[in-house]
Amino acid sequence: QVQLVESGGGSVQAGGSLGLSCAASGEGLSRYSMAWFRQAPGKEREGVAYKSVYGGTIYAESVKGRFTISQNSAKNSLYLQMNSLKPEDAAMYYCAAAPRRWLPSSSSLAQSEYNYWGQGTQVTVSS
């Protein structure tokens, strides 16, 4: 069982930056892969960024070059640095964990791959 708690959301003007954190707890965290998702009102939840324990990353096309995912060496904290924010980035952001490890691929951003979810942190971007 893994528990995930996100923090760092807030309100920012377009062009600004925010950094999100996800604190993970539970046994065997090194066996888990983690990712960030987001869901805007009236829209499907979408994958934003994934970091493989093998070192690779994958990003949604809409955030490439602006967002950076990272993880600490203990594998109990996941981060998302968001720069050049746009109004369309506004959403509830979720941290997710899956009890397996794999290289970055299209499935890395599929919510069906993940078993554990945090409660989310809200990001608001004003134009």
Side-chain angles (χ1 to χ4, degrees):
Q1 192 78 10
V2 172
Q3 292 80 43
L4 305 169
V5 179
E6 302 93 337
S7 61
S11 296
V12 65
Q13 287 191 326
S17 299
L18 275 177
L20 305 183
S21 298
C22 172
S25 59
E27 294 187 359
L29 290 176
S30 62
R31 301 195 302 270
Y32 287 78
S33 293
M34 297 178 70
W36 285 99
F37 287 76
R38 68 185 181 186
Q39 187 169 20
K43 293 188 176 181
E44 296 280 326
R45 188 174 298 187
E46 63 171 348
V48 174
Y50 166 82
K51 186 178 188 312
S52 170
V53 296
Y54 302 119
T57 57
I58 190 169
Y59 295 91
E61 285 294 327
S62 59
V63 307
K64 275 185 182 177
R66 301 186 298 120
F67 289 13
T68 303
I69 187 172
S70 61
Q71 190 173 33
N72 67 348
S73 57
K75 302 292 189 288
N76 58 7
S77 291
L78 187 72
Y79 306 99
L80 186 69
Q81 179 62 39
M82 306 184 294
N83 298 328
S84 302
L85 282 161
K86 304 176 181 179
E88 52 263 42
D89 294 319
M92 186 72 81
Y93 282 72
Y94 298 91
C95 176
R100 68 184 185 98
R101 300 178 291 183
W102 70 104
L103 289 170
S105 67
S106 56
S107 67
S108 308
L109 297 182
Q111 59 175 322
S112 59
E113 295 288 342
Y114 295 86
N115 302 81
Y116 301 98
W117 296 84
Q119 83 290 349
T121 186
Q122 184 69 46
V123 172
T124 303
V125 184
S126 57
S127 57

